Amino acid sequence: QSTWGEYSYNSLHPMMQNLLDRKSSSFIQRLRKPEKSPEVKPKDHFAVPSNFSLRKTDPAPGPPSQAMESWIPISDLEAAAQMKLKSAMESGEYRITHNCLSDAGTDPSRQSYLMLTERAVYYIASPLADVMRWDLKSIYRVSFKPPTPIVSVSYFVGEKLMGPIELRFSSIEHADLWECIITRQQLEVLQAEAESTFIAAPAIFQGCYPVYKLNRKKVEQSRTLVLSTQYLYNIECKSWPMNVKLMKWAIRFEHVLSVMVSASTNEFILHIKPDGNEKAKDKYQFRCLDEFQKNDFVRQLKRLYLWSTKSPLAELDFVKLV
């Protein structure tokens, strides 16, 4: 070490000295032969709780034919359940995440499993049971029920509402996380479907609501009301919630004149201005599947109306049409 070198190093700012020390140290470490391979930690999008039953580890040493699966089962029954879930996946699907539920205590023969792909949710009640598949397009609602670690799933088969099926998780945080993951993935699927078929840019999908329209003969007709940032769509579907068969009408929010919401039933009435749309009448009475859906639709309609017109939507007293 020369005097010039020591003088030059000592004259540097302490921050630069620290940077040089770290650079030199990392360079020397790269020259050394490591005593053992560093541990590879799982690269997940969110923190994996310690009570997950499926653990991610490093591949085993040896030839590829002897390498272990990246997700190591804790029992033969769990391995059988994983194999069933994988074989149930449709062609082209990829797995987003999966989990071993804890509704059976410590008995592995009664343990249930859940898996999410980009198109569906797969559920198996036990390693010996059959796999249930819920297409994300057919799920009606995923509900978290605090303070219990339970998530309920309701889904459609055609136009028939099935469920709810209750899924018990190991913790409240775990259940809340899964509700958010499934709901977010479902909205992405529905948005892609709507914006590739009938919602034209620059409008953006905001939500869809399977409802019954009550005609003047008091006959219930299945419909789906879809909200975008610019339009309200009335759609006749082959199956709920959004398998489009026929577009009945689409109106801009400024042509929605008022809404009447029933306080005792799940019904509401829309008063609209047809504006030359021959398929649209001036008033429509709808019945929602439950109170939560009714309140959510009216709240979103008011929000989008206010955003579009800069004025609040008029809400009148409910008077039945039929």
Short mmCIF file of all heavy atoms in Angstrom, two decimals, residues 167-205:
data_model
loop_
_atom_site.label_atom_id
_atom_site.label_comp_id
_atom_site.label_asym_id
_atom_site.label_seq_id
_atom_site.Cartn_x
_atom_site.Cartn_y
_atom_site.Cartn_z
N LEU A 167 -65.70 -22.91 3.35
CA LEU A 167 -64.31 -23.35 3.40
C LEU A 167 -63.69 -22.78 4.68
O LEU A 167 -63.66 -21.58 4.88
CB LEU A 167 -63.53 -22.85 2.18
CG LEU A 167 -64.16 -23.10 0.81
CD1 LEU A 167 -63.33 -22.44 -0.28
CD2 LEU A 167 -64.32 -24.58 0.55
N ARG A 168 -63.22 -23.67 5.55
CA ARG A 168 -62.63 -23.24 6.82
C ARG A 168 -61.11 -23.22 6.70
O ARG A 168 -60.50 -24.24 6.38
CB ARG A 168 -63.06 -24.14 7.96
CG ARG A 168 -62.51 -23.72 9.33
CD ARG A 168 -62.99 -24.66 10.40
NE ARG A 168 -64.42 -24.51 10.61
CZ ARG A 168 -64.97 -23.61 11.41
NH1 ARG A 168 -64.20 -22.77 12.09
NH2 ARG A 168 -66.27 -23.54 11.55
N PHE A 169 -60.51 -22.07 7.00
CA PHE A 169 -59.07 -21.90 6.90
C PHE A 169 -58.43 -21.97 8.29
O PHE A 169 -59.11 -22.04 9.31
CB PHE A 169 -58.73 -20.58 6.22
CG PHE A 169 -59.08 -20.55 4.76
CD1 PHE A 169 -60.36 -20.25 4.35
CD2 PHE A 169 -58.12 -20.83 3.80
CE1 PHE A 169 -60.69 -20.23 2.99
CE2 PHE A 169 -58.44 -20.82 2.45
CZ PHE A 169 -59.71 -20.52 2.05
N SER A 170 -57.11 -21.95 8.30
CA SER A 170 -56.37 -22.10 9.55
C SER A 170 -56.40 -20.83 10.39
O SER A 170 -56.15 -20.88 11.59
CB SER A 170 -54.93 -22.50 9.27
OG SER A 170 -54.32 -21.54 8.42
N SER A 171 -56.67 -19.68 9.79
CA SER A 171 -56.68 -18.42 10.54
C SER A 171 -57.57 -17.41 9.82
O SER A 171 -57.91 -17.57 8.64
CB SER A 171 -55.26 -17.85 10.68
OG SER A 171 -54.76 -17.49 9.41
N ILE A 172 -57.94 -16.35 10.55
CA ILE A 172 -58.76 -15.29 9.97
C ILE A 172 -57.98 -14.57 8.87
O ILE A 172 -58.54 -14.23 7.81
CB ILE A 172 -59.20 -14.31 11.07
CG1 ILE A 172 -60.14 -14.99 12.06
CG2 ILE A 172 -59.86 -13.08 10.47
CD1 ILE A 172 -60.57 -14.11 13.21
N GLU A 173 -56.69 -14.33 9.10
CA GLU A 173 -55.87 -13.66 8.09
C GLU A 173 -55.79 -14.49 6.81
O GLU A 173 -55.81 -13.93 5.70
CB GLU A 173 -54.46 -13.42 8.64
CG GLU A 173 -54.39 -12.43 9.80
CD GLU A 173 -54.81 -13.03 11.13
OE1 GLU A 173 -54.98 -14.28 11.17
OE2 GLU A 173 -54.97 -12.29 12.11
N HIS A 174 -55.69 -15.78 6.97
CA HIS A 174 -55.61 -16.68 5.82
C HIS A 174 -56.90 -16.63 4.99
O HIS A 174 -56.89 -16.57 3.76
CB HIS A 174 -55.37 -18.10 6.34
CG HIS A 174 -54.55 -18.93 5.42
ND1 HIS A 174 -54.04 -20.14 5.77
CD2 HIS A 174 -54.17 -18.74 4.14
CE1 HIS A 174 -53.38 -20.66 4.76
NE2 HIS A 174 -53.44 -19.82 3.77
N ALA A 175 -58.04 -16.67 5.70
CA ALA A 175 -59.34 -16.62 5.02
C ALA A 175 -59.53 -15.29 4.30
O ALA A 175 -60.01 -15.24 3.15
CB ALA A 175 -60.46 -16.84 6.04
N ASP A 176 -59.17 -14.20 4.95
CA ASP A 176 -59.28 -12.88 4.34
C ASP A 176 -58.42 -12.78 3.09
O ASP A 176 -58.83 -12.22 2.06
CB ASP A 176 -58.86 -11.82 5.36
CG ASP A 176 -59.16 -10.41 4.89
OD1 ASP A 176 -60.00 -10.25 4.00
OD2 ASP A 176 -58.53 -9.47 5.41
N LEU A 177 -57.21 -13.33 3.16
CA LEU A 177 -56.30 -13.31 2.01
C LEU A 177 -56.88 -14.06 0.83
O LEU A 177 -56.85 -13.58 -0.31
CB LEU A 177 -54.95 -13.90 2.43
CG LEU A 177 -53.89 -14.03 1.35
CD1 LEU A 177 -53.47 -12.65 0.86
CD2 LEU A 177 -52.67 -14.79 1.86
N TRP A 178 -57.44 -15.24 1.09
CA TRP A 178 -57.99 -16.04 -0.01
C TRP A 178 -59.23 -15.39 -0.62
O TRP A 178 -59.43 -15.45 -1.84
CB TRP A 178 -58.31 -17.45 0.48
CG TRP A 178 -57.20 -18.39 0.21
CD1 TRP A 178 -56.16 -18.69 1.03
CD2 TRP A 178 -56.99 -19.14 -0.99
NE1 TRP A 178 -55.31 -19.59 0.43
CE2 TRP A 178 -55.79 -19.89 -0.80
CE3 TRP A 178 -57.67 -19.27 -2.19
CZ2 TRP A 178 -55.29 -20.73 -1.78
CZ3 TRP A 178 -57.18 -20.12 -3.16
CH2 TRP A 178 -56.00 -20.83 -2.96
N GLU A 179 -60.06 -14.74 0.19
CA GLU A 179 -61.22 -14.04 -0.36
C GLU A 179 -60.76 -12.94 -1.32
O GLU A 179 -61.32 -12.78 -2.42
CB GLU A 179 -62.06 -13.44 0.76
CG GLU A 179 -63.31 -12.72 0.25
CD GLU A 179 -63.77 -11.61 1.16
OE1 GLU A 179 -62.96 -11.12 1.97
OE2 GLU A 179 -64.94 -11.21 1.03
N CYS A 180 -59.74 -12.19 -0.93
CA CYS A 180 -59.21 -11.12 -1.79
C CYS A 180 -58.63 -11.68 -3.08
O CYS A 180 -58.85 -11.13 -4.17
CB CYS A 180 -58.16 -10.31 -1.04
SG CYS A 180 -58.79 -9.40 0.38
N ILE A 181 -57.87 -12.77 -2.99
CA ILE A 181 -57.23 -13.34 -4.17
C ILE A 181 -58.26 -13.83 -5.18
O ILE A 181 -58.19 -13.53 -6.38
CB ILE A 181 -56.29 -14.48 -3.76
CG1 ILE A 181 -55.09 -13.95 -2.98
CG2 ILE A 181 -55.79 -15.24 -4.99
CD1 ILE A 181 -54.21 -15.03 -2.41
N ILE A 182 -59.27 -14.58 -4.70
CA ILE A 182 -60.28 -15.13 -5.60
C ILE A 182 -61.12 -14.01 -6.22
O ILE A 182 -61.39 -14.01 -7.43
CB ILE A 182 -61.18 -16.13 -4.87
CG1 ILE A 182 -60.36 -17.34 -4.40
CG2 ILE A 182 -62.32 -16.60 -5.77
CD1 ILE A 182 -61.15 -18.34 -3.58
N THR A 183 -61.52 -13.03 -5.39
CA THR A 183 -62.36 -11.94 -5.90
C THR A 183 -61.60 -11.12 -6.95
O THR A 183 -62.17 -10.76 -7.99
CB THR A 183 -62.80 -11.04 -4.74
OG1 THR A 183 -63.51 -11.82 -3.78
CG2 THR A 183 -63.69 -9.92 -5.24
N ARG A 184 -60.33 -10.83 -6.68
CA ARG A 184 -59.54 -10.05 -7.65
C ARG A 184 -59.40 -10.81 -8.97
O ARG A 184 -59.55 -10.23 -10.05
CB ARG A 184 -58.17 -9.75 -7.07
CG ARG A 184 -57.29 -8.90 -7.97
CD ARG A 184 -55.89 -8.80 -7.44
NE ARG A 184 -55.22 -10.10 -7.43
CZ ARG A 184 -53.98 -10.30 -7.00
NH1 ARG A 184 -53.29 -9.31 -6.48
NH2 ARG A 184 -53.45 -11.50 -7.04
N GLN A 185 -59.11 -12.11 -8.89
CA GLN A 185 -58.94 -12.89 -10.11
C GLN A 185 -60.25 -13.00 -10.88
O GLN A 185 -60.27 -12.94 -12.11
CB GLN A 185 -58.42 -14.29 -9.76
CG GLN A 185 -58.06 -15.14 -10.97
CD GLN A 185 -56.92 -14.56 -11.80
OE1 GLN A 185 -56.12 -13.78 -11.28
NE2 GLN A 185 -56.85 -14.94 -13.05
N GLN A 186 -61.38 -13.13 -10.17
CA GLN A 186 -62.68 -13.19 -10.85
C GLN A 186 -62.98 -11.89 -11.58
O GLN A 186 -63.46 -11.90 -12.72
CB GLN A 186 -63.78 -13.51 -9.85
CG GLN A 186 -65.15 -13.67 -10.50
CD GLN A 186 -66.29 -13.52 -9.52
OE1 GLN A 186 -66.14 -12.89 -8.47
NE2 GLN A 186 -67.43 -14.09 -9.85
N LEU A 187 -62.71 -10.75 -10.94
CA LEU A 187 -62.96 -9.46 -11.59
C LEU A 187 -62.09 -9.29 -12.84
O LEU A 187 -62.55 -8.73 -13.84
CB LEU A 187 -62.71 -8.32 -10.61
CG LEU A 187 -63.74 -8.16 -9.49
CD1 LEU A 187 -63.31 -7.08 -8.52
CD2 LEU A 187 -65.11 -7.83 -10.08
N GLU A 188 -60.86 -9.77 -12.79
CA GLU A 188 -59.99 -9.69 -13.96
C GLU A 188 -60.56 -10.52 -15.12
O GLU A 188 -60.52 -10.09 -16.28
CB GLU A 188 -58.59 -10.16 -13.61
CG GLU A 188 -57.82 -9.19 -12.71
CD GLU A 188 -56.42 -9.69 -12.41
OE1 GLU A 188 -56.06 -10.79 -12.89
OE2 GLU A 188 -55.68 -8.99 -11.68
N VAL A 189 -61.09 -11.71 -14.81
CA VAL A 189 -61.67 -12.57 -15.85
C VAL A 189 -62.91 -11.92 -16.45
O VAL A 189 -63.08 -11.88 -17.67
CB VAL A 189 -61.99 -13.96 -15.27
CG1 VAL A 189 -62.82 -14.78 -16.25
CG2 VAL A 189 -60.70 -14.70 -14.93
N LEU A 190 -63.81 -11.41 -15.59
CA LEU A 190 -65.03 -10.78 -16.08
C LEU A 190 -64.73 -9.51 -16.87
O LEU A 190 -65.37 -9.23 -17.89
CB LEU A 190 -65.96 -10.47 -14.91
CG LEU A 190 -66.56 -11.67 -14.19
CD1 LEU A 190 -67.36 -11.21 -12.97
CD2 LEU A 190 -67.44 -12.50 -15.11
N GLN A 191 -63.76 -8.73 -16.42
CA GLN A 191 -63.39 -7.51 -17.15
C GLN A 191 -62.85 -7.85 -18.53
O GLN A 191 -63.21 -7.20 -19.52
CB GLN A 191 -62.36 -6.72 -16.35
CG GLN A 191 -61.92 -5.44 -17.05
CD GLN A 191 -60.95 -4.63 -16.21
OE1 GLN A 191 -60.59 -5.02 -15.12
NE2 GLN A 191 -60.54 -3.48 -16.73
N ALA A 192 -61.98 -8.86 -18.61
CA ALA A 192 -61.43 -9.25 -19.92
C ALA A 192 -62.53 -9.74 -20.85
O ALA A 192 -62.53 -9.42 -22.05
CB ALA A 192 -60.38 -10.34 -19.73
N GLU A 193 -63.50 -10.47 -20.31
CA GLU A 193 -64.61 -10.98 -21.12
C GLU A 193 -65.48 -9.83 -21.63
O GLU A 193 -65.84 -9.78 -22.80
CB GLU A 193 -65.45 -11.94 -20.27
CG GLU A 193 -66.68 -12.49 -20.96
CD GLU A 193 -66.37 -13.57 -21.97
OE1 GLU A 193 -65.23 -14.08 -21.98
OE2 GLU A 193 -67.26 -13.90 -22.77
N ALA A 194 -65.83 -8.89 -20.74
CA ALA A 194 -66.71 -7.80 -21.13
C ALA A 194 -66.05 -6.85 -22.11
O ALA A 194 -66.65 -6.44 -23.12
CB ALA A 194 -67.18 -7.04 -19.90
N GLU A 195 -64.79 -6.50 -21.87
CA GLU A 195 -64.12 -5.52 -22.72
C GLU A 195 -63.68 -6.11 -24.06
O GLU A 195 -63.30 -5.37 -24.96
CB GLU A 195 -62.93 -4.93 -21.97
CG GLU A 195 -63.35 -4.10 -20.77
CD GLU A 195 -62.18 -3.48 -20.02
OE1 GLU A 195 -61.03 -3.71 -20.45
OE2 GLU A 195 -62.42 -2.78 -19.01
N SER A 196 -63.73 -7.43 -24.19
CA SER A 196 -63.41 -8.05 -25.48
C SER A 196 -64.65 -8.35 -26.30
O SER A 196 -64.54 -8.75 -27.46
CB SER A 196 -62.63 -9.36 -25.26
OG SER A 196 -63.43 -10.31 -24.58
N THR A 197 -65.85 -8.15 -25.71
CA THR A 197 -67.08 -8.47 -26.43
C THR A 197 -67.97 -7.25 -26.68
O THR A 197 -68.29 -6.94 -27.83
CB THR A 197 -67.88 -9.55 -25.66
OG1 THR A 197 -68.04 -9.12 -24.30
CG2 THR A 197 -67.17 -10.89 -25.70
N PHE A 198 -68.37 -6.53 -25.63
CA PHE A 198 -69.36 -5.47 -25.86
C PHE A 198 -68.98 -4.11 -25.27
O PHE A 198 -69.62 -3.11 -25.59
CB PHE A 198 -70.74 -5.89 -25.34
CG PHE A 198 -70.78 -6.20 -23.87
CD1 PHE A 198 -71.01 -5.21 -22.94
CD2 PHE A 198 -70.59 -7.50 -23.42
CE1 PHE A 198 -71.05 -5.50 -21.59
CE2 PHE A 198 -70.63 -7.80 -22.07
CZ PHE A 198 -70.87 -6.80 -21.15
N ILE A 199 -68.00 -4.03 -24.37
CA ILE A 199 -67.60 -2.73 -23.83
C ILE A 199 -66.45 -2.19 -24.68
O ILE A 199 -65.35 -2.75 -24.68
CB ILE A 199 -67.17 -2.85 -22.35
CG1 ILE A 199 -68.36 -3.27 -21.49
CG2 ILE A 199 -66.61 -1.52 -21.86
CD1 ILE A 199 -68.03 -3.37 -20.01
N ALA A 200 -66.72 -1.10 -25.39
CA ALA A 200 -65.71 -0.52 -26.27
C ALA A 200 -64.89 0.52 -25.53
O ALA A 200 -65.39 1.23 -24.65
CB ALA A 200 -66.39 0.12 -27.48
N ALA A 201 -63.62 0.61 -25.87
CA ALA A 201 -62.73 1.62 -25.30
C ALA A 201 -63.24 3.01 -25.67
O ALA A 201 -63.85 3.20 -26.73
CB ALA A 201 -61.31 1.41 -25.81
N PRO A 202 -63.09 4.01 -24.81
CA PRO A 202 -62.29 4.01 -23.57
C PRO A 202 -63.06 3.61 -22.32
O PRO A 202 -62.55 3.78 -21.22
CB PRO A 202 -61.83 5.45 -23.49
CG PRO A 202 -62.98 6.23 -24.05
CD PRO A 202 -63.54 5.37 -25.16
N ALA A 203 -64.31 3.10 -22.46
CA ALA A 203 -65.07 2.69 -21.29
C ALA A 203 -64.38 1.51 -20.60
O ALA A 203 -63.75 0.67 -21.26
CB ALA A 203 -66.49 2.30 -21.69
N ILE A 204 -64.53 1.43 -19.27
CA ILE A 204 -63.87 0.41 -18.47
C ILE A 204 -64.91 -0.32 -17.64
O ILE A 204 -65.79 0.30 -17.03
CB ILE A 204 -62.80 1.03 -17.54
CG1 ILE A 204 -61.76 1.79 -18.36
CG2 ILE A 204 -62.13 -0.04 -16.68
CD1 ILE A 204 -60.77 2.58 -17.52
N PHE A 205 -64.83 -1.63 -17.62
CA PHE A 205 -65.75 -2.48 -16.86
C PHE A 205 -65.69 -2.14 -15.38
O PHE A 205 -64.62 -1.95 -14.81
CB PHE A 205 -65.37 -3.94 -17.09
CG PHE A 205 -66.12 -4.92 -16.23
CD1 PHE A 205 -67.38 -5.35 -16.58
CD2 PHE A 205 -65.55 -5.42 -15.06
CE1 PHE A 205 -68.08 -6.26 -15.78
CE2 PHE A 205 -66.22 -6.33 -14.27
CZ PHE A 205 -67.49 -6.76 -14.63
#
